[in-house]
Structure formats: structure tokens, C-alpha cells
Amino acid sequence: MSTTRTTSTTTTPGTPTPAPTKPRALSASRTTATATRVLRQLRHDPRTIALLILIPCVMLFLLRYVFDGSPYVFDTIGASLLGVFPLITMFLVTSIATLRERTSGTLERLLAMPLGKGDLIAGYALAFGALAIIQSALATGLAVWFLGLDVTGSPWLLLLVALLDALLGTALGLFVSAFAASEFQAVQFMPAVIFPQLLLCGLFTPRSNMHPVLEAVSDVLPMSYAVDGMNEVLHHTDMTATFVRDVLVVGACAVLVLCLGAATLRRRTT
């Protein structure tokens, strides 16, 4: 009679337990799944969608008719604000939405799964970037073809800068959400992060007319290059070297801030 022996699979005392496999820094499938989840949640939040998509258009509409008697003023500052409004709205919505994920415990549960911080940040950037495309396209189309914004260059270049500004606002919102303990604190970051750039970007006066110290500070702020890029399209028929530089700086700043956001992301707000 044959005897069957079973092999024990128990781990002997003192044998180290294999460490769990750490997810790769970035995965296309995990990033896409995260973006899909965020878009699905936003679909059930019409107020947020309205804030993201409609508010920049409403602000441009109001601006046009505030200067109804001086259309030249709208032509002068309208292109610059076409980039500023999307940046501000994306910053607000993204910072609050990301903070809500952490305070509710959703972020902690997600990071307990095989999901890296890079996947989470890239997924949020992808989801809000899709909304930024819609937002920028509507605002640009409204300003150029309905409100009569006089642009010397191609409207498509305006759209490119507006889109990069919206992505920069998304990146800044994801970054500052790591340092806020509540939604109210996330909103409080706006005066510290957005307002100085708004004052120093050259919207109200040329940066060359500022105090040398303030001009030097403005040279390292990304919104300055966004406004400069819009002005290049406003005054030149062709794509200039300055415009290319401005676009590259804004895009690089967005990528850099996204990387910082992934590095500083925490599971839970303490």
C-alpha cells in the first residue's frame, strides 16, 4: 500500500516574510483607472462641472460688456485673462477635490491598493486635464468668435496657452492640497499662491515698469510667462521664439509641480 506524503507550506520561525511588491512609479492602466473614477465622480457633481466650465466664460462675458464703451481695453487684457481665469478655477476645484479624497479616507484606501502616488497624481491630472480642454476651448471660442476679441495671431495658439494655464492650475491645486487640513484652508492658499502671481504677471502694468526687485520675482513666476505668451499671440501673426519659450516654461512648471505633488502626497490629513 502506497503512502502519500504532503509537504508542509508553513513558514519556519525566523524565516523573513517576503515584502509586498511595491507598485511601479507610474502605470498607464492604473492612471487611466484613476482618471475614470474621478470623472465618474465629477459626473454626479453638476455644481463643480459648472464652476469648471462655465465660470471662465461668464467672467469673460462680463468683462467684455464692462468695457462696452472701450472695446480696445477688452482687446488689450482679454487675451491675458483668457489664461488667468482657467488657472484660478482649476486651482480651486482641484485642491478642494483632492483634499476631500484624503479627509474622507478614500485616498488612504486607494494607496493601500497597488496604486502608486504617481498613478494617483497623474490620474487626477488626466481627469481634470480633460475638463481643462473643454473649458479652454469654450472660453477661447467665446472670446474670439462671439465677443470679438481682436487677435493678430492664430486662435489655436491662444487655446494652447489657455490649456497649459488650466493644467498649471490643476498641478498647483494638487500640490497645495497636501498642506491643507480642511477645505477652508485649501481656499486660503489662493491668496498666497495665486494673488501674487496675478499682481506681478504684467496684467495691470508692464513688468518692465515695476520695481527691479518685483520684476526679478515676476521672472520666476509661471503666470508671467502665460500672460507673455498670450500677448505674443495678440500682437504677432506668426509663432515667435518668445512664444515658444513662454509655452515651454509654463508646461515645464506644470510638470515640475505635478512631480512635487506626487512627492508630498499624504494618505491622510492629520
Side-chain angles (χ1 to χ4, degrees), residues 6 9 17 30 38 65 77 88 94 110 141 178 204 227 229 231 258 263:
T6 59
T9 59
T17 303
R30 293 194 297 261
V38 173
Y65 290 103
I77 67 174
I88 294 174
T94 307
L110 289 173
F204 302 103
V227 171
N231 288 331
L258 283 176

Side-chain angles (χ1 to χ4, degrees), residues 103-235:
T103 55
S104 65
T106 302
L107 185 59
E108 186 175 15
R109 292 192 296 270
L110 289 173
L111 291 179
M113 302 166 60
L115 183 71
K117 293 182 178 180
D119 299 315
L120 191 69
I121 291 294
Y124 270 92
L126 185 61
F128 285 104
L131 292 175
I133 293 175
I134 300 174
Q135 179 196 72
S136 302
L138 287 175
T140 303
L142 174 70
V144 175
W145 289 295
F146 184 78
L147 299 179
L149 180 65
D150 188 11
V151 180
T152 303
S154 171
W156 294 105
L157 297 181
L158 277 184
L159 175 60
L160 173 62
V161 181
L163 176 58
L164 288 175
D165 288 345
L167 293 176
L168 176 62
T170 299
L172 289 171
L174 290 171
F175 175 65
V176 303
S177 67
F179 304 98
S182 65
E183 295 180 12
F184 179 67
Q185 286 188 6
V187 175
Q188 286 180 314
F189 273 103
M190 185 174 172
V193 177
I194 300 298
F195 286 179
Q197 296 192 65
L198 190 62
L199 292 174
L200 299 177
C201 68
L203 180 63
F204 302 103
T205 185
R207 293 193 290 128
S208 58
N209 294 342
M210 298 178 184
H211 189 280
V213 174
L214 294 181
E215 183 181 1
V217 173
S218 71
D219 288 339
V220 299
L221 299 177
M223 192 182 291
S224 300
Y225 296 91
V227 171
D228 287 349
M230 288 293 191
N231 288 331
E232 286 294 307
V233 180
L234 192 64
H235 297 108

Side-chain angles (χ1 to χ4, degrees), residues 99 102-103 178-182 185 266-270:
L99 182 65
R102 191 165 63 249
T103 55
F179 304 98
S182 65
Q185 286 188 6
R266 295 175 295 165
R267 293 188 177 192
R268 180 183 290 274
T269 298
T270 55

Side-chain angles (χ1 to χ4, degrees), residues 34-56:
T34 301
T36 303
R37 181 186 62 83
V38 173
L39 289 174
R40 191 180 300 115
Q41 289 180 337
L42 288 174
R43 186 182 62 182
H44 300 291
D45 190 355
R47 288 177 296 183
T48 299
I49 294 177
L51 176 63
L52 283 173
I53 295 178
L54 297 180
I55 291 301

